Amino acid sequence: MQVAIPLYPRFTALDAVGPYTVMAFTPGWTVTFVGAETGPVLDDKGGLSLVAAATYADLPRPDVIVVPGGPGTLQAVFDEPLLNWVREAHEHTRWTTSVCSGSFVLGAAGLLKGRDATTHWGWLEQLSGVGARPVGERVVTDGRIVTAAGVSAGIDMALSLVGEAAGETTAQTVQLAIEYAPEPPFQAGTPKTAPPELAEPALGLIDFE
Amino acid sequence: MQVAIPLYPRFTALDAVGPYTVMAFTPGWTVTFVGAETGPVLDDKGGLSLVAAATYADLPRPDVIVVPGGPGTLQAVFDEPLLNWVREAHEHTRWTTSVCSGSFVLGAAGLLKGRDATTHWGWLEQLSGVGARPVGERVVTDGRIVTAAGVSAGIDMALSLVGEAAGETTAQTVQLAIEYAPEPPFQAGTPKTAPPELAEPALGLIDFE
């Protein structure tokens, strides 16, 4: 199974590295970071550069695409080389997926029209602007399109996909290898459980410019 | 707050990027990847390179150190420049921390003697070899030394530290921003909950060589 994760400036690191880690731990799966050019791509917080090891042209037909989110999606939705690659690669994927605001890239590529999809809670309703039906769940599957909620939700999505493609036993083995038995010290991970006054400052931590 | 995450060849990506994302989202916190030299460092699965933006010499006195784990720790425990930096920086840190097998680097630097510590479930008992008292919990605090269990546990550790240093409200705001409300599709994240026959194949997914 060949997975491609496109990088664009000001992506959010965990959006990409959560699914990467789950999928790269899966026997027989290869995960490649791709970009318009090879080389380092800087994240949203300016502290991390991930290296794109291949160009879009190098990987025209991955089995799985995972588009990460981040404040850079505001520019990525107008990035024609990225959108063209997503659109063309999607013709042949088993799954075309996104994490967080990465779903807006799928939307800009025209892939979400009339489809159920999700994204970060902060702009879920805005998904209707690309023709999707916003669904407030952590992982949303509509045919070959799978979208995950904000940032950390990509880990859950990736484990689900590994379970479907490689079987539950393999997915559980990967889960055990990465000791994914979360114990968040607080219960503020969604607007449903967080103190309501935190919503605005939480969105303020996302550096749109 | 200045956080330094040392990179060494064949680290595990999520060990480093989980805490990075939590801490880099925290207002006033700066996270820097450091290495013996600046430049890309390849992870354990060979699919991801993170760029060390600074050298050990550039960051002698971070407030927090987070040492990631990975199969490369087998070599890192003999990496004198890394160990010297950890040992000397530790004199001045607020917290010296590790994720997964990163605790063996702290141990090799002589920091775990007589201390409670944890690591990946697969080699927890081996921590006694560096003089530590192995504790089978997700995050273990002993004074200024904080160690986390395998791979994904670094996210929980980082949220706890942010809560202590910046307050629970800030930590919850970060948690909400990264939508950290985990919904693992399976419950196999620890040996306590996983089918027992998965332990050996799970350890087999970790590419010691």
Side-chain angles (χ1 to χ4, degrees):
Chain A
M1 192 76 100
Q2 175 71 53
V3 182
I5 304 181
L7 297 175
Y8 52 82
R10 301 173 62 237
F11 70 100
T12 297
L14 188 57
D15 290 34
V17 174
Y20 166 80
T21 300
V22 169
M23 292 171 166
F25 266 79
T26 304
W29 291 42
T30 304
V31 189
T32 307
F33 290 99
V34 298
E37 302 166 11
T38 59
V41 181
L42 195 62
D43 81 333
D44 54 350
K45 298 301 181 186
L48 178 147
S49 289
L50 274 183
V51 177
T55 65
Y56 299 138
D58 292 333
L59 250 92
R61 287 202 182 193
D63 299 300
V64 180
I65 295 172
V66 182
V67 181
T73 47
L74 277 184
Q75 287 77 45
V77 294
F78 301 108
D79 177 343
E80 285 302 330
L82 170 61
L83 299 181
N84 286 336
W85 175 78
V86 167
R87 205 178 286 121
E88 288 167 20
H90 172 66
E91 297 293 316
H92 305 280
T93 57
R94 172 149 179 189
W95 287 300
T96 300
T97 81
S98 63
V99 180
C100 199
S101 58
S103 51
F104 287 90
V105 173
L106 303 189
L111 305 186
L112 295 186
K113 291 196 181 95
R115 288 187 179 272
D116 289 343
T118 197
T119 185
H120 192 284
W121 57 267
W123 36 87
L124 179 61
E125 293 311 318
Q126 296 178 37
L127 270 180
S128 58
V130 292
R133 283 185 301 266
V135 178
E137 291 173 10
R138 194 149 173 91
V139 178
V140 172
T141 301
D142 187 331
R144 295 192 292 116
I145 307 251
V146 185
T147 51
V151 189
S152 60
I155 300 172
D156 296 327
M157 178 181 76
L159 271 175
S160 295
L161 296 180
V162 168
E164 255 188 82
E168 287 204 5
T169 297
T170 297
Q172 290 180 332
T173 305
V174 170
Q175 183 181 9
L176 184 55
I178 65 167
E179 206 162 344
Y180 185 51
E183 294 180 20
F186 312 105
Q187 301 307 320
T190 74
K192 283 171 207 147
T193 59
E197 68 274 17
L198 297 189
E200 201 180 313
L203 295 179
L205 296 183
I206 297 160
D207 303 324
F208 289 109
E209 268 153 34
Chain B
M1 193 78 99
Q2 175 72 54
V3 182
I5 305 180
L7 297 175
Y8 52 81
R10 301 171 63 235
F11 69 100
T12 297
L14 188 56
D15 290 34
V17 174
Y20 166 80
T21 300
V22 169
M23 292 170 164
F25 265 80
T26 303
W29 291 41
T30 304
V31 189
T32 307
F33 291 99
V34 299
E37 302 166 10
T38 59
V41 181
L42 195 63
D43 81 332
D44 54 351
K45 297 301 180 186
L48 177 146
S49 288
L50 272 184
V51 177
T55 65
Y56 299 139
D58 292 333
L59 249 92
R61 287 202 181 192
D63 299 299
V64 180
I65 294 171
V66 182
V67 181
T73 47
L74 277 184
Q75 287 76 44
V77 293
F78 301 108
D79 177 344
E80 285 300 331
L82 169 61
L83 299 181
N84 286 336
W85 175 79
V86 166
R87 205 179 284 121
E88 288 167 21
H90 172 67
E91 297 293 316
H92 304 282
T93 57
R94 173 150 178 187
W95 288 300
T96 299
T97 81
S98 63
V99 180
C100 198
S101 58
S103 51
F104 287 90
V105 173
L106 303 189
L111 305 187
L112 295 187
K113 290 193 183 99
R115 288 185 179 274
D116 290 343
T118 198
T119 186
H120 192 283
W121 57 267
W123 36 89
L124 179 61
E125 293 312 318
Q126 296 179 37
L127 269 180
S128 58
V130 292
R133 285 185 301 266
V135 178
E137 291 174 10
R138 192 146 174 94
V139 178
V140 172
T141 301
D142 187 331
R144 294 190 295 118
I145 308 250
V146 186
T147 50
V151 190
S152 60
I155 301 172
D156 296 326
M157 179 181 76
L159 271 175
S160 294
L161 296 180
V162 168
E164 255 188 82
E168 287 203 7
T169 298
T170 297
Q172 291 180 332
T173 305
V174 170
Q175 184 181 7
L176 184 55
I178 65 168
E179 205 160 346
Y180 185 52
E183 294 180 20
F186 312 106
Q187 302 307 321
T190 73
K192 282 170 209 149
T193 58
E197 68 274 16
L198 298 189
E200 200 179 314
L203 294 179
L205 297 183
I206 297 160
D207 303 323
F208 289 109
E209 266 155 33

